[in-house]
């Protein structure tokens, strides 16, 4: 009876995931064996699409190489930078964490646009860098700029995770190290690094996902670099889909998910093996604590890195239109022009509201379903390693796979272009990630609290609701934050399932459900691109996630420190 | 233990069911959906031929009883497209009070995905889909065949140049038209030469130029790239602007279209390219990607990249882009062509006509009111300027395809075009529409383009012109390779002959013909 209740608790999340993901994934795999003809028929080509990618596609190897580069360089650089920053935070106080987290909560397209506008060699700071001889070619055209933007977005997460790990080192260990005369860099190598290894590994895999799925910096940089030069598999599969090469797009997705799952499984293996980084400490390494000034310098550099592109974006949003593209570029606006904000708030209001609704609802749905499943998986071993592997696989699967099959479902339920279409489909994006966050969180959960409740005569269901959930608030808060963030920036699903903005004249019908990300996309039309409008909406789009971040900031450390 | 077994059993059942469903659907997907033909759908009015002489936006009595609803999917951002669609929708609803039209904007970059999702799932909405030539082959299998409407005269075939139709025509291997799936209703000409009137009308400069070069400093009189380059060199030497000429070399698409503009004019005179041009008959096709492909006498597909005119064009292209920052500093893509000319730093730009309202917007443009337009390389044949029509197609699962067709007919009527030109500066796609719009004072710049449209009205070699549609990986594989090779040439990393050979060999190797 009790064992069945374990399954029963996890069932809603598992039924949802299996029912809505297995068919699209199987369908995509089958589709990868076909090629679309001119007349629109699908012709069987077997492994032809895969052979094309590896043997005939002039850019196949380059694109796979870029995928691996982004997936390795981004985390390597992020983690390398995050360590000294986390050490500085530990020394100077966690109050600096909040401003450093900002880039993680900027929508990806806004982040890419901010860097693009700042580095532009004609009307950005790039102009002055070229004049000073610090740059010779357009930086937008380099794969390393894609990495730079991804590092900017993922560094906060790496800092948070590693900082949480450092803070979770038991006080007794710290005191013993001090007693042994270990301090500063030597203590870091001998004590902190090994004990924070799980968090460093976690930071690596989280930032690798950012690089793996990167899209917007490629979209913006292609016009200066050349087609395919910056592409990764995620971007290339989208291009192939848009060009009607559905079979080839499906094959690219299969390859992509294989690589992503491989990376994730490698992480899981290392994590389960309790892999510890142990490095020898050279004799010359100082034993003394580094001066505070050094930590402040590190912090200042990171703050500059965080706020320079955001500051440029803010300036763009306040400049009159004629000043945004003037050459040479002006740094400060000649006058403050709020037109972009007025337009964004006026024209964008229905989209903004819909994004708030769906992000809030989906966060709650994700938290509840994820908690129920993750607890059973972690504490009671439900599904074992295979279920965890499937969750990781889903995290590596692009949402493009789901849109055509899910469209049938949404249309069949007659909820197209309504809030309910998004409520039904958004958890596919957020539930795997939420389960994984809470899976990690529950690894440190004391199951005796549940056993005590059971011993008191509660059913497992009641024990979960009345005991486990209240004690899981911090973890659920963080899972909700990331669910909110993903929901807020989602684009593929609202594009597929909605086609008009929220009808404010009849608000309770919730018909018309286009989101704020669609509104930003409309402003980025090539014909009438409004840089100021995009900048203003970008600034506005960062506000709700940042408010949520402020509310749950204390819990962020706890969840990543618990692993 | 029991719960694990139950879980495994449940998962296995779901997986088997999912794979079975996937197999079933993949069987159905062997063919694109066979939509109902236009003649089989129920109608709410008779098809009538509109009286061509009517000057009022009224309908004939038999069509006045139209009722129903339509949704139109419109890519957002074009400054005249959405206003025109809304204007036309409003006028149509006034004329037919029983009709409700909803305009659905979609971000440009996501248009294909949104429309395809609806079409692949046989959703009746949107009933009308607006798309561009580069998306035509993707939509081709899914949109309705409009031949019955052309055959019945609802759409006036003779008023639409065939050059503007090639992207939406499907030809069988024996040359028979098997489907027309879109109607061009908006025309964008590109690239055209936009130049500063204040510079070119300067009498002193005109006299000096004429004396030095022997021809007029007037783009409307030019007929060669050499003349354009001579004028640019002259203006550069006179320092009348920071840069004489802004020419597209952007690495997403502009370099591909910009080069074609040049190549085409040389290919017209190159027997190797075999372009079917008959000036006397008004049968000179306008430039298009089709120019890169031809049939051999045996019916095989050949590519014209190997022709002498290709190398000639490369060299001229390199001379054209010498007046702007190098490609490695700033490649001139769509955004840059639109934005940089606004700064007043350039005397001329090769641009799309869709930029003209932006260039004339005094709130952002320093050249507002100071621009004139000519075809490229000049106002005289041969024209490198091509047509970039915007198409509208009908969803075969729309609730009322006949109503959708009636709306399209209304959209391309001379009366509606006149109103569109006056109110929003909309550029029509039909010959009569261009002539009517050119009479509007603010649209008088259209006048040189009516001959360009008429020149391509009667082209006949449709097999050749639609061959590129059969190259299924043209956009995903061949075009990117082409762009990167030409970029390497512009950077000075390889010579013209090497560029030609690389493209030729690789294209032959990877080309997929359906």
């Amino acid at each position: 009876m009790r064992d069945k209740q374990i399954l029963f608790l996890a069932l809603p999340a598992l039924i949802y995931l299996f029912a809505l993901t297995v068919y699209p994934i199987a369908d995509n795999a089958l589709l990868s064996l076909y090629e679309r003809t001119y007349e629109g028929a699908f012709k069987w080509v077997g492994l032809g699409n895969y052979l094309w990618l590896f043997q005939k596609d002039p850019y196949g190897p380059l694109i796979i190489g870029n995928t691996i580069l982004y997936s390795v360089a981004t985390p390597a650089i992020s983690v390398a930078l995050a360590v000294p920053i986390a050490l500085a935070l530990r020394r100077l106080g966690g109050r600096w964490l909040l401003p450093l987290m900002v880039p993680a909560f900027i929508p990806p397209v806004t982040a890419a646009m901010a860097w693009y506008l700042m580095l532009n060699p004609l009307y950005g700071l790039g102009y002055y860098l070229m004049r000073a001889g610090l740059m010779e070619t357009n930086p937008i055209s380099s794969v390393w700029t894609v990495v730079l933007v991804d590092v900017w977005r993922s560094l906060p997460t790496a800092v948070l995770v590693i900082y949480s790990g450092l803070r979770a080192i038991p006080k007794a260990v710290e005191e013993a190290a001090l007693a042994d005369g270990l301090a500063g860099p030597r203590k870091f190598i001998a004590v902190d690094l090994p004990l924070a290894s799980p968090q460093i590994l976690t930071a690596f895999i989280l930032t690798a996902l950012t690089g793996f799925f990167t899209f917007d910096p490629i979209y913006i940089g292609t016009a200066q670099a050349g087609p395919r030069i910056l592409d990764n598999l995620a971007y290339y599969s989208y291009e192939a889909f848009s060009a009607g090469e559905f079979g080839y797009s499906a094959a690219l997705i299969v390859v992509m998910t294989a690589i992503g799952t491989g990376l994730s499984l490698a992480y899981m293996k290392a994590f389960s093996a309790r892999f510890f980084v142990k490095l020898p400490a050279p004799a010359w390494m100082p034993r003394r604590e580094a001066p505070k000034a050094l930590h402040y310098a590190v912090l200042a550099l990171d703050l500059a890195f965080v706020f320079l592109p955001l500051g440029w974006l803010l300036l763009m949003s306040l400049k009159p239109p004629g000043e945004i593209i003037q050459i040479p570029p002006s740094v400060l606006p000649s006058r403050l022009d709020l037109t972009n904000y007025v337009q964004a708030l006026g024209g964008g209001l229905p989209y903004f509201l819909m994004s708030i609704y769906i992000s809030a609802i989906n966060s709650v749905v994700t938290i509840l379903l994820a908690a129920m499943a993750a607890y059973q998986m972690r504490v009671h071993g439900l599904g074992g390693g295979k279920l965890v592997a499937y969750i990781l696989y889903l995290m590596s699967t692009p949402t493009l796979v789901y849109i055509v099959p899910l469209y049938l479902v949404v249309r069949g339920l007659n909820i197209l272009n309504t809030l309910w279409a998004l409520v039904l489909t958004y958890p596919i994006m957020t539930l795997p990630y939420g389960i994984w966050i809470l899976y990690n969180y529950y690894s440190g959960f004391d199951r005796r609290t549940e056993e005590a409740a059971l011993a008191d005569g509660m059913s497992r269901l009641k024990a979960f609701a009345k005991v486990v959930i209240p004690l899981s608030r911090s973890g659920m808060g963080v899972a909700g934050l990331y669910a909110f963030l993903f929901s807020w920036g989602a684009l593929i699903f609202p594009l597929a399932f909605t086609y008009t903005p929220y009808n404010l004249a009849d608000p309770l019908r919730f018909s018309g459900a286009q989101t704020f990300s669609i509104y930003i996309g409309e402003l980025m039309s090539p014909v009438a691109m409004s840089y100021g409008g995009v900048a203003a909406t970008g600034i506005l789009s960062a506000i709700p996630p940042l408010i949520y971040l402020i509310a749950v900031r204390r819990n962020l450390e706890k969840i990543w420190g618990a692993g | 233990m029991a719960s694990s077994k139950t879980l495994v059993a449940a998962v296995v059942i779901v997986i088997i069911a999912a794979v079975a469903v996937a197999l079933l659907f993949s069987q159905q997907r062997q063919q694109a959906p066979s939509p109902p033909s236009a003649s089989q759908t129920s109608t709410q009015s008779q098809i009538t031929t509109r009286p061509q002489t009517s000057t009022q936006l009224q309908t004939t009595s038999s069509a006045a009883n139209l009722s129903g609803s339509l949704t139109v999917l419109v890519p957002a951002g074009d400054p005249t497209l959405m206003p025109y669609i809304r204007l036309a929708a409003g006028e149509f609803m006034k004329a037919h009070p029983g009709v409700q039209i909803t305009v659905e904007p979609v971000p440009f970059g996501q248009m294909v995905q949104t429309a395809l999702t609806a079409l692949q799932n046989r959703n009746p909405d949107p009933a009308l889909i607006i798309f561009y030539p580069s998306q035509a082959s993707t939509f081709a299998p899914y949109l309705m065949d409009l031949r019955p409407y052309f055959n019945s005269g609802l759409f006036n075939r003779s008023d639409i140049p065939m050059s503007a139709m090639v992207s939406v025509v499907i030809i069988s291997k024996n040359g028979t038209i098997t489907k027309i799936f879109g109607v061009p209703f908006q025309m964008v000409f590109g690239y055209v030469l936009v130049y500063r009137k204040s510079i070119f009308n300067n009498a002193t400069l005109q006299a000096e130029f004429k004396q030095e070069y022997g021809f007029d400093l007037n783009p409307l009189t030019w007929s060669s790239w050499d003349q354009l380059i001579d004028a640019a060199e002259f203006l550069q030497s006179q320092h009348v602007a920071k840069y004489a000429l802004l020419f597209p070399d952007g690495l997403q698409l502009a370099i591909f279209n910009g080069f074609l503009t040049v190549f085409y004019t040389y290919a017209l005179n190159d027997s190797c390219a075999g372009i079917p041009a008959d000036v006397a008959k008004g049968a000179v096709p306008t430039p298009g990607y089709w120019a890169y492909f031809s049939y051999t006498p045996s019916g095989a597909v050949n590519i014209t990249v190997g022709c002498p005119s290709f190398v000639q064009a490369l060299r001229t292209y390199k001379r054209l882009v010498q007046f702007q920052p190098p490609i490695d500093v700033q490649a001139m893509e769509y955004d840059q062509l639109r934005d940089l000319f606004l700064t007043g730093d350039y005397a001329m730009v090769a641009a799309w006509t869709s930029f003209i309202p932006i260039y004339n917007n005094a709130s952002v443009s320093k050249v507002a009111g100071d621009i004139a337009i000519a075809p490229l390389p000049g106002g005289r044949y041969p024209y490198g300027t091509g047509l970039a029509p915007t198409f509208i197609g009908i969803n075969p699962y729309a609730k009322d395809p006949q109503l959708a067709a009636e709306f399209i007919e209304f959209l391309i009527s001379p009366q509606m075009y006149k109103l569109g030109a006056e109110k929003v500066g909309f550029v029509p796609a039909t010959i009569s529409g261009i002539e009517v719009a050119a009479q509007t004072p603010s649209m008088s710049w259209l006048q040189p383009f009516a001959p360009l449209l008429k020149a391509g009205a009667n082209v006949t070699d449709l097999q050749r012109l639609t061959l590129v549609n059969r190259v299924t990986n043209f956009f995903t594989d061949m075009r990117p390779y082409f762009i990167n090779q030409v970029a390497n040439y512009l950077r000075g990393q390889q010579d013209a002959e090497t560029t030609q050979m690389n493209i030729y060999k690789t294209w032959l190797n990877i080309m997929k013909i359906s």
Side-chain angles (χ1 to χ4, degrees):
Chain A
M1 178 69 172
R2 281 187 174 169
D3 285 339
K4 280 190 181 143
Q5 288 188 4
I6 290 173
L7 177 62
F8 184 71
L9 277 166
L11 218 46
L14 297 181
I15 286 179
Y16 175 87
L17 280 178
F18 283 117
L20 292 186
T21 62
V22 171
Y23 162 61
I25 290 169
D27 186 59
N28 184 76
L30 271 171
L31 183 59
S32 73
L33 306 175
Y34 289 84
E35 187 179 85
R36 201 195 74 158
T37 66
Y38 172 54
E39 290 81 12
F42 282 88
K43 185 177 76 174
W44 170 266
V45 293
L47 295 177
N49 288 321
Y50 297 95
L51 290 171
W52 184 271
L53 173 65
F54 290 104
Q55 292 179 355
K56 276 205 127 173
D57 189 328
Y59 297 102
L62 172 70
I63 289 167
I64 292 174
N66 284 347
T67 303
I68 295 171
L69 172 74
Y70 298 148
S71 306
V72 172
T74 298
I77 297 171
S78 294
V79 168
L81 294 177
V83 167
I85 297 168
L87 288 170
L89 283 174
R90 187 174 66 170
R91 184 84 162 88
L92 302 175
R95 66 184 178 282
W96 292 102
L97 182 61
L98 193 60
L100 298 183
M101 290 293 297
V102 168
F105 297 91
I106 302 288
V109 66
T110 307
M113 185 56 68
W115 278 97
Y116 170 77
L117 290 173
M118 191 178 77
L119 291 178
N120 192 287
L122 289 185
Y123 30 86
L125 291 181
Y127 175 88
Y128 297 106
L129 293 175
M130 279 208 162
R131 288 274 297 256
L134 295 171
M135 255 169 37
E136 285 182 359
T137 58
N138 192 336
I140 307 289
S141 58
S142 167
V143 290
W144 293 104
T145 306
V146 177
V147 173
L148 172 67
V149 177
D150 288 339
V151 166
W152 187 77
R153 287 187 54 230
S154 60
L155 180 60
T157 302
V159 168
L160 170 68
V161 173
I162 295 173
Y163 172 61
S164 306
L166 292 173
R167 292 235 325 170
I169 294 174
K171 256 197 165 48
V173 173
E174 297 268 358
E175 287 163 1
L178 268 174
D180 280 346
L182 283 176
R186 193 168 277 274
K187 173 188 171 266
F188 172 75
I189 296 286
V191 177
D192 298 341
L193 190 58
L195 289 177
S197 295
Q199 283 77 24
I200 291 175
L201 197 55
T202 301
F204 195 93
I205 199 69
L206 284 175
T207 51
L209 283 175
T210 301
F212 185 72
F213 280 114
T214 189
F215 187 97
D216 298 277
I218 299 170
Y219 178 71
I220 286 173
T222 289
Q224 299 300 318
R228 307 289 171 262
I229 302 300
L230 303 178
D231 285 14
N232 59 358
L233 284 168
Y235 188 82
Y236 194 29
S237 65
Y238 181 80
E239 288 270 283
F241 179 86
S242 300
E245 290 207 62
F246 305 124
Y248 196 52
S249 175
L252 293 170
I253 288 172
V254 169
V255 173
M256 182 181 152
T257 50
I259 295 175
T261 308
L263 278 175
S264 303
L265 285 173
Y267 155 78
M268 286 301 296
K269 200 166 181 180
F271 196 80
S272 313
R274 304 205 64 80
F275 170 74
F276 292 106
V277 176
K278 282 183 189 160
L279 296 174
W284 51 262
M285 192 159 273
R287 286 176 172 269
R288 274 199 313 258
E289 188 63 65
K292 254 188 173 175
L294 185 61
H295 290 300
Y296 274 118
V298 167
L299 205 55
L301 282 172
D302 191 20
L303 284 169
F305 181 54
V306 163
F307 286 105
L308 209 54
L310 283 179
W312 190 261
L313 197 70
L314 183 64
L315 290 171
M316 286 273 152
S317 71
L318 295 170
K319 280 184 182 174
E323 280 185 31
I324 293 176
I325 50 169
Q326 75 178 29
I327 303 166
S330 62
V331 175
L332 295 173
S334 60
R335 59 179 174 85
L336 292 181
D337 187 340
L338 295 176
T339 315
N340 294 317
Y341 285 96
V342 170
Q343 280 172 355
L345 288 168
L349 183 63
Y351 305 84
F352 194 87
L353 283 176
M354 184 49 60
S355 284
I356 293 274
Y357 293 158
I358 184 56
S359 301
I361 293 171
N362 189 49
S363 300
V364 171
V365 169
T366 297
I367 290 169
L368 288 173
L369 291 180
M372 292 196 298
Y375 185 80
Q376 316 312 325
M377 287 168 63
R378 186 58 163 175
V379 174
H380 298 290
L382 183 70
K386 291 186 178 57
L387 184 55
V388 175
Y390 187 66
I391 297 297
L392 289 173
Y393 176 76
L394 291 180
M395 285 166 61
S396 308
T397 305
T399 47
L400 196 61
V401 161
Y402 302 113
I403 55 172
V404 173
L406 285 185
Y407 190 91
L408 279 174
V409 174
V410 169
R411 193 184 60 164
L413 293 172
N414 203 26
I415 53 174
L416 262 179
N417 199 36
T418 68
L419 172 64
W420 314 117
L422 303 183
V423 170
L424 178 67
T425 55
Y426 266 40
I428 291 180
M429 292 185 298
T430 56
L431 193 51
Y433 203 71
I435 291 174
W436 187 67
I437 289 176
L438 288 168
Y439 182 84
N440 282 302
Y441 173 77
Y442 285 129
S443 64
F445 193 83
D446 190 348
R447 63 184 295 173
R448 288 175 296 181
T449 49
E450 186 192 15
E451 287 165 4
L454 292 173
D456 277 346
M458 281 192 199
S459 68
R460 201 173 284 280
L461 294 174
K462 215 169 180 180
F464 184 80
K466 287 192 173 300
V467 176
V468 175
I469 287 202
L471 291 174
S472 308
R473 269 199 298 259
S474 56
M476 290 167 72
V478 172
L481 173 65
Y482 283 97
F484 188 93
L485 193 61
F486 285 156
S487 306
W488 185 255
L491 184 61
I492 301 276
F493 278 179
L495 274 175
F497 307 133
T498 70
Y499 44 85
T500 57
Y502 180 35
N503 184 3
L504 289 174
D506 192 1
L508 293 179
R509 278 189 64 205
F510 296 109
S511 75
Q514 287 184 322
T515 57
F516 205 55
S517 50
I518 291 180
Y519 182 69
I520 296 177
E522 288 181 4
L523 290 176
M524 288 180 66
S525 156
V527 180
M529 164 94 79
S530 165
Y531 292 124
V534 170
T537 47
I539 297 288
L540 288 175
S541 69
I543 294 173
L546 286 175
I547 291 174
Y548 197 144
L549 167 67
I550 292 169
V552 301
R553 69 185 184 284
R554 287 202 164 73
N555 299 324
L556 285 173
E557 303 170 30
K558 286 183 199 168
I559 187 158
W560 296 118
Chain B
M1 186 67 168
S3 67
S4 294
K5 280 188 184 167
T6 311
L7 175 66
V8 167
V11 167
V12 168
I13 289 169
V14 170
I15 289 175
I16 290 172
V19 171
V21 170
L23 279 168
L24 270 172
F25 270 96
S26 76
Q27 294 297 322
Q28 283 184 14
R29 204 194 281 117
Q30 293 308 310
Q31 281 199 320
S34 303
S37 66
S39 58
Q40 291 168 356
T41 56
S42 63
T43 62
Q44 296 196 5
S45 72
Q46 299 296 318
I47 297 173
T48 59
T49 304
R50 300 280 174 229
Q52 295 298 314
T53 55
S54 169
T55 55
Q56 295 191 9
L57 293 169
Q58 290 176 349
T59 62
T60 60
S61 58
S62 60
N65 297 326
L66 288 178
S67 64
S69 63
L70 292 173
T71 305
V72 188
L73 187 71
V74 184
D78 183 314
T80 63
L81 176 60
M82 183 68 80
Y84 180 70
I85 296 293
R86 290 197 199 278
L87 180 69
E91 292 297 320
F92 194 80
M93 286 191 285
K94 264 191 238 169
H96 306 285
V99 173
Q100 178 63 36
I101 299 177
T102 305
V103 176
E104 180 187 327
V106 63
F108 176 84
Q110 284 79 39
M111 203 174 75
V112 169
Q113 179 206 312
T114 305
L116 269 184
T117 305
L119 289 169
Q120 285 177 331
N121 288 284
R122 306 183 188 196
N123 196 38
D125 285 318
L128 289 157
I129 292 168
I130 292 174
F131 58 97
Y132 297 104
S134 60
Q135 295 145 350
S137 60
T138 304
F139 288 128
Y142 303 100
L143 291 173
M144 183 177 228
D145 186 359
L146 303 177
R147 284 179 300 160
Y149 299 115
F150 282 100
N151 295 340
S152 69
L154 183 66
F155 303 151
N156 185 354
R157 177 66 191 81
S158 62
D159 199 24
I160 304 174
M162 182 45 87
S163 279
M165 295 277 295
V166 292
S167 298
V168 291
V169 170
I170 299 181
I171 305 268
S172 67
K173 287 192 173 152
N174 64 9
T176 313
I177 295 178
T178 57
K179 189 176 187 181
I180 302 175
F181 58 90
V183 177
F185 75 99
Q186 178 189 30
M187 192 57 71
V188 174
F189 296 97
Y191 291 100
V192 300
L193 187 69
V194 181
Y195 55 99
R196 304 263 300 277
K197 284 192 291 194
S198 56
I199 294 172
F200 281 76
N201 291 347
N202 182 301
T204 311
L205 285 174
Q206 285 179 345
E208 279 184 32
F209 183 78
K210 181 84 184 237
Q211 192 176 17
E212 190 173 337
Y213 290 92
F215 61 94
D216 291 331
L217 187 65
N218 179 0
L220 288 170
T221 65
W222 301 342
S223 58
S224 76
W225 295 105
D226 288 334
Q227 288 179 312
L228 171 58
I229 292 169
D230 285 344
E233 284 172 349
F234 172 75
L235 294 174
Q236 193 76 44
S237 68
Q238 299 290 317
H239 306 291
V240 295
K242 196 170 173 188
Y243 304 99
L245 174 64
L246 178 58
F247 205 84
D249 62 3
L251 293 164
Q252 192 158 25
L253 184 57
I255 200 173
F256 197 64
N257 292 334
F259 177 78
L260 178 66
T261 301
V262 181
F263 168 63
Y264 182 74
T265 55
Y266 291 117
L268 277 173
N269 295 315
D270 184 347
S271 57
C272 165
I275 291 180
D278 191 331
V279 178
K281 285 186 184 168
V284 181
T286 46
Y289 302 146
W290 61 265
Y292 290 124
F293 301 93
S294 63
Y295 282 110
T296 65
S298 61
V301 174
N302 201 359
I303 54 178
T304 60
V305 170
C307 294
S309 50
F310 192 87
V311 172
Q312 208 178 356
L314 276 175
R315 295 200 173 105
T316 299
Y317 186 47
K318 197 166 189 178
R319 291 169 63 209
L320 284 164
V321 301
Q322 64 176 300
F323 302 100
Q324 62 207 37
I327 196 172
D328 272 348
V329 171
Q330 179 68 66
M332 300 304 176
E333 191 42 75
Y334 202 94
D335 298 356
Q336 284 70 41
L337 297 174
R338 181 197 62 219
D339 295 339
L340 292 178
F341 192 64
L342 301 176
T343 63
D345 286 347
Y346 293 81
M348 301 182 275
V349 62
W352 297 95
T353 52
S354 50
F355 293 160
I356 290 167
I358 302 170
Y359 291 159
N360 272 330
N361 182 351
S363 67
V364 295
S365 170
K366 290 184 180 167
V367 299
D370 185 28
I371 60 171
I373 299 107
L376 270 171
R380 299 206 174 121
Y381 177 89
Y383 300 118
T385 294
L387 307 179
T390 308
F391 299 102
I392 189 164
I394 299 178
N395 180 344
Y397 303 97
K399 286 184 204 120
D400 194 340
Q402 180 60 35
L403 179 61
E406 296 278 352
F407 180 65
I408 292 177
E409 191 273 338
F410 185 80
L411 209 60
I412 62 174
S413 62
Q415 305 87 326
M416 191 59 227
Y417 274 145
K418 183 170 186 291
L419 192 65
E422 288 165 359
K423 298 271 189 197
V424 302
F426 192 75
V427 179
T430 63
I431 295 173
S432 62
I434 290 273
E435 286 172 342
V436 157
Q439 290 162 22
T440 305
S442 60
M443 304 283 286
S444 58
W445 60 266
L446 274 173
Q447 282 161 8
F449 294 91
L452 192 154
L453 264 192
K454 286 178 184 168
N458 301 316
V459 292
T460 52
D461 190 357
L462 288 185
Q463 262 189 302
R464 168 80 187 268
L465 296 184
T466 57
L467 173 54
V468 65
N469 300 343
R470 290 190 168 275
V471 184
T472 54
N473 64 337
F474 179 69
F475 293 110
T476 45
D477 294 329
M478 298 171 72
R479 182 175 67 182
Y481 186 80
F482 184 107
I483 288 173
N484 288 323
Q485 284 297 308
V486 174
N488 287 345
Y489 169 67
L490 295 181
R491 290 185 186 112
Q493 292 169 0
Q494 58 197 34
D495 60 26
E497 287 77 8
T498 304
T499 304
Q500 177 188 44
M501 198 46 55
N502 287 348
I503 296 172
Y504 182 76
K505 282 184 187 165
T506 303
W507 272 24
L508 276 182
N509 185 35
I510 65 175
M511 185 167 61
K512 284 188 205 174
I513 306 287
S514 174

